[in-house]
Amino acid sequence: MSNINDVARLAQVSKATVSRVLSGSRGVKEESRQAVLRAAEILNYKPNAIAQSLSSQSTNCIGVICATEHIQQSTGYLQALEKQLNQHQKHLLLRFANDHDSVAQAAQELSNGLCDALVVVGARFPLPELDDEIMLIDCLSGSHNLSIQCDHIFAAETAVHYLCNQKRRQIALINFASGEAAALTLEGYHQALHNHVVPFNRQLVIDDESSVRIALQRLINRGVKFSALLVTDDTQAQEAVMMLNQYQLTVPEQVMVFSLDGSSRMPGSNAIPAIKYPLESIARRAVELLLGERHTSDLVRGSLLIA
Amino acid sequence: MSNINDVARLAQVSKATVSRVLSGSRGVKEESRQAVLRAAEILNYKPNAIAQSLSSQSTNCIGVICATEHIQQSTGYLQALEKQLNQHQKHLLLRFANDHDSVAQAAQELSNGLCDALVVVGARFPLPELDDEIMLIDCLSGSHNLSIQCDHIFAAETAVHYLCNQKRRQIALINFASGEAAALTLEGYHQALHNHVVPFNRQLVIDDESSVRIALQRLINRGVKFSALLVTDDTQAQEAVMMLNQYQLTVPEQVMVFSLDGSSRMPGSNAIPAIKYPLESIARRAVELLLGERHTSDLVRGSLLIA
DNA sequence: CTGTTAGCGCGTTCAG
DNA sequence: CTGAACGCGCTAACAG
């Protein structure tokens, strides 16, 4: 690979002039300008990104730590993020993590100057204490400087509202097992029921169970009737449908399953109503926040999606 | 962020000694060694990755250009690759691309010293002329220095063999639209039929159609009966099943759909028999080839997977 | 065993 | 308008 010296030599100018032409490009005689461009063309010269980074004290890399639990979900985010970053000439350094410790380790290992910033995406588990510079997207943790969260209250309200309009008033909820998101979801659920003058039944809510299947079994074991089932995402919805079928409950006739996050749908789950979040705009907002100096957070609302 | 000078100063030694302790670590007096470690601890010092890269002329980054066409497939590769790279202390620089030009551009932009190597994953379209150093995983292109390909002949043979044993002898094939893989698949299909003394019927094969739905329509329009349908991957299988249902054909009773690549399955497609490739070992092999100096290629066989 | 020095490739003063 | 010189943070070769 040729370097700046080679170009300078071939173009009969100094390194500084080469640098000026290829970067700032202002205040250079047209003649030497052409000479540099020609030389660079001939040598197929590309400024070395590493050297530039060292000099400018900023790599153009953004580290993304992606939760794998709901992988098809995360993949949507990944694509949207990459697209946005790409438009800003930034690179995406990918790391997967599926629990507290993995995230901590990944964050450690990416904090050695390789990345200009870090993002954690889709972590549905308690996160370690992270630097305030790190952005959280669609994670459970609530109070963080830089984050983009789904409006869980709004989602739950919308879902309950829709289901009530379908004359389904016994709405079961399998909530997140912990975190701010769980509380907010419950709040929206509560609120919407109240608006529809439906009494709240504690027996219809499970909020301390990480496995959907077991949550559903517990629900059924309780013997309480329900005509609708709210779950937190599409993966859970799929599993719930299968399991309900095993219990001879038809979907959606007897029980309508509703996914509170149906972004990045996989084929075959179109029959399940859901709240869909606009991945592209979330990613755009995320990159804006990340690259801008303003440290703030966003709440994004999802829209009702029915087959 | 503190740098090597800070540590040297605090530890009362020179930069070189600090470097030695944290890298080579040989031939250093225990006393100064401890001093360095203590100082590094106190200052929470992390060697700057960029500076190391510039000096060593090797970033520890591997660029991965991932095709998005069959995204759930690609995601599996991505996770497996990241895991392997991680074990080798390498970072994964992610780029998505869905056509010839995007790949070319991505390859260009990652060839500025930022990456030590490049990998293209899952590209089912014709690729641009790429540097021989670039590794191809599960791509259509055949002759390339460094690549890991699926054994398409073996896969097609296995599929046909299985179907014949199920007494299904009219086996339709919706093949790749182009490339080496298409030819190999057809060869395996051909060969296996021959072994089962089933006459080859050109009317059962579609190999110049990128859309499954249209391919299937063409197949049905031809009016030729088939009791089994071979498609190239799970996404296509899903679509085929839906479409067959629309035509009032029951699956698998009337037509058994078989996916020639059912790696990284999504929930709900368990009923479709498939050939499954071992993603983890493919990724391991890929990283070995990439990091080793031997430039060679691999052919990997998939195993029959039935619900 | 250790400190000094010279690069790695580039951007950026600062004189001319 | 241009070139020489310095610094980014670190590693490696060379003297002591």
Side-chain angles (χ1 to χ4, degrees):
Chain A
M1 207 54 183
S2 55
N3 66 19
I4 200 172
N5 285 308
D6 302 331
V7 179
R9 200 176 314 126
L10 182 57
Q12 310 260 40
V13 296
S14 73
K15 305 190 311 180
T17 300
V18 175
S19 177
R20 274 189 276 260
V21 171
L22 273 49
S23 309
S25 195
R26 62 185 173 210
V28 179
K29 202 203 307 174
E30 186 58 22
E31 191 178 321
S32 26
R33 189 183 141 72
Q34 290 302 332
V36 168
L37 291 177
R38 210 173 318 127
E41 178 65 32
I42 293 173
L43 297 175
N44 187 28
Y45 167 72
K46 305 270 173 230
N48 183 299
I50 296 297
Q52 284 182 315
S53 297
L54 183 59
S55 183
S56 67
Q57 292 293 75
S58 101
T59 75
N60 284 312
C61 291
I62 307 294
V64 173
I65 300 174
C66 183
T68 58
E69 208 179 353
H70 313 278
I71 192 61
Q72 51 283 62
Q73 194 110 329
S74 308
T75 301
Y77 277 118
L78 229 45
Q79 270 191 268
L81 272 174
E82 193 271 347
K83 185 174 176 187
Q84 290 301 321
L85 289 175
N86 200 6
Q87 291 182 2
H88 291 259
Q89 325 262 37
K90 301 289 177 202
H91 295 291
L92 167 21
L93 215 53
L94 178 62
R95 205 52 203 265
F96 286 113
N98 36 27
D99 58 38
H100 176 283
D101 291 349
S102 312
V103 172
Q105 192 187 341
Q108 272 293 324
E109 294 182 19
L110 292 177
S111 302
N112 47 15
L114 228 176
C115 301
D116 290 338
L118 271 186
V119 182
V120 178
V121 176
R124 297 288 212 275
F125 42 80
L127 290 172
E129 290 230 2
L130 294 169
D131 196 310
D132 280 341
E133 304 299 315
I134 299 184
M135 163 172 272
L136 267 36
I137 300 181
D138 197 5
C139 293
L140 288 189
S141 298
S143 54
H144 197 81
N145 279 0
L146 205 48
S147 72
I148 297 189
Q149 306 286 348
C150 296
D151 190 334
H152 291 107
I153 296 182
F154 183 75
E157 280 180 350
T158 303
V160 170
H161 195 81
Y162 171 75
L163 292 169
C164 283
N165 281 351
Q166 303 283 316
K167 307 294 173 213
R168 295 172 188 268
R169 302 168 71 88
Q170 286 106 354
I171 305 173
L173 166 64
I174 297 180
N175 203 349
F176 297 102
S178 68
E180 180 92 354
L184 295 171
T185 300
L186 190 59
E187 186 180 331
Y189 172 82
H190 227 124
Q191 187 60 47
L193 286 181
H194 182 74
N195 289 349
H196 282 268
V197 202
V198 175
F200 173 70
N201 180 356
R202 190 70 188 77
Q203 292 296 307
L204 284 171
V205 178
I206 303 254
D207 56 4
D208 56 350
E209 183 60 59
S210 56
S211 155
V212 214
R213 308 188 72 91
I214 294 180
L216 191 46
Q217 286 170 222
R218 286 173 57 193
L219 208 51
I220 291 171
N221 289 350
R222 286 180 184 170
V224 52
K225 281 281 176 195
F226 54 94
S227 54
L229 175 63
L230 249 48
V231 295
T232 53
D233 64 57
D234 265 25
T235 311
Q236 308 221 337
Q238 295 271 8
E239 282 197 48
V241 170
M242 287 185 211
M243 196 143 186
L244 288 171
N245 285 335
Q246 287 166 11
Y247 275 96
Q248 313 293 341
L249 289 166
T250 58
V251 178
E253 291 74 18
Q254 292 178 270
V255 175
M256 178 173 280
V257 175
F258 192 109
S259 163
L260 288 170
D261 189 346
S263 318
S264 66
R265 291 230 131 167
M266 34 201 169
S269 62
N270 290 325
I272 301 171
I275 300 291
K276 182 183 174 65
Y277 293 90
L279 255 47
E280 310 75 25
S281 54
I282 290 182
R284 188 177 323 121
R285 193 82 192 92
V287 173
E288 282 173 7
L289 287 184
L290 218 50
L291 270 41
E293 60 279 359
R294 307 189 316 113
H295 277 198
T296 167
S297 293
D298 251 17
L299 200 58
V300 49
R301 292 185 169 164
S303 61
L304 185 58
L305 180 73
I306 299 168
Chain B
M1 208 50 184
S2 55
N3 64 21
I4 200 173
N5 284 308
D6 301 330
V7 178
R9 201 176 313 126
L10 182 56
Q12 311 261 37
V13 296
S14 73
K15 304 193 310 183
T17 300
V18 175
S19 177
R20 275 190 275 260
V21 171
L22 272 48
S23 310
S25 195
R26 62 185 173 209
V28 179
K29 203 204 304 174
E30 186 58 22
E31 192 178 319
S32 24
R33 188 182 142 72
Q34 291 301 332
V36 168
L37 291 178
R38 210 174 318 129
E41 178 66 31
I42 293 174
L43 297 175
N44 187 29
Y45 167 71
K46 304 271 173 231
N48 184 298
I50 296 297
Q52 284 182 315
S53 298
L54 183 59
S55 183
S56 67
Q57 294 292 75
S58 101
T59 73
N60 285 312
C61 291
I62 307 294
V64 173
I65 300 174
C66 184
T68 57
E69 207 179 354
H70 314 276
I71 191 60
Q72 52 282 60
Q73 194 109 330
S74 307
T75 301
Y77 277 118
L78 228 46
Q79 270 190 267
L81 273 174
E82 192 272 346
K83 185 175 176 186
Q84 290 302 320
L85 289 174
N86 200 6
Q87 291 182 3
H88 290 259
Q89 325 261 38
K90 302 288 179 203
H91 295 290
L92 167 21
L93 215 52
L94 179 62
R95 202 59 200 263
F96 286 112
N98 35 28
D99 57 39
H100 176 283
D101 292 349
S102 313
V103 172
Q105 191 186 342
Q108 272 293 324
E109 295 183 19
L110 292 177
S111 301
N112 46 16
L114 228 176
C115 301
D116 289 339
L118 271 187
V119 181
V120 178
V121 176
R124 297 288 211 276
F125 44 80
L127 289 172
E129 290 229 3
L130 294 168
D131 196 311
D132 279 342
E133 303 299 314
I134 298 184
M135 163 172 273
L136 266 36
I137 301 181
D138 197 6
C139 293
L140 289 190
S141 298
S143 55
H144 197 80
N145 277 0
L146 206 48
S147 71
I148 297 188
Q149 306 285 349
C150 296
D151 189 335
H152 291 107
I153 297 183
F154 183 76
E157 280 181 350
T158 304
V160 170
H161 193 81
Y162 170 75
L163 292 170
C164 282
N165 281 352
Q166 301 285 313
K167 307 292 173 215
R168 297 173 188 267
R169 302 167 72 86
Q170 287 107 355
I171 306 174
L173 166 64
I174 297 180
N175 204 349
F176 296 102
S178 68
E180 180 92 354
L184 295 171
T185 300
L186 189 59
E187 185 180 334
Y189 172 81
H190 228 125
Q191 187 61 47
L193 285 182
H194 182 76
N195 290 349
H196 281 270
V197 202
V198 175
F200 172 70
N201 179 357
R202 191 70 189 78
Q203 293 296 306
L204 284 171
V205 177
I206 303 253
D207 57 4
D208 56 350
E209 183 58 61
S210 57
S211 154
V212 214
R213 307 186 74 89
I214 294 180
L216 192 46
Q217 287 171 220
R218 285 173 58 192
L219 208 52
I220 291 172
N221 289 349
R222 285 180 184 170
V224 52
K225 281 281 176 194
F226 53 93
S227 54
L229 175 63
L230 249 48
V231 295
T232 53
D233 64 56
D234 265 26
T235 311
Q236 309 221 336
Q238 296 271 7
E239 282 197 47
V241 170
M242 287 186 211
M243 196 144 188
L244 288 171
N245 285 334
Q246 287 167 10
Y247 274 96
Q248 313 292 343
L249 289 166
T250 59
V251 179
E253 291 74 19
Q254 292 178 268
V255 175
M256 178 173 280
V257 175
F258 192 109
S259 162
L260 288 170
D261 188 348
S263 318
S264 67
R265 292 228 129 169
M266 34 201 169
S269 63
N270 290 324
I272 300 170
I275 301 291
K276 183 185 173 64
Y277 294 90
L279 255 49
E280 310 75 25
S281 54
I282 290 181
R284 188 178 322 119
R285 193 83 191 93
V287 173
E288 282 172 7
L289 287 184
L290 218 51
L291 270 40
E293 60 279 1
R294 306 188 316 112
H295 277 197
T296 167
S297 294
D298 251 16
L299 200 59
V300 48
R301 292 185 168 163
S303 62
L304 185 58
L305 180 73
I306 300 168

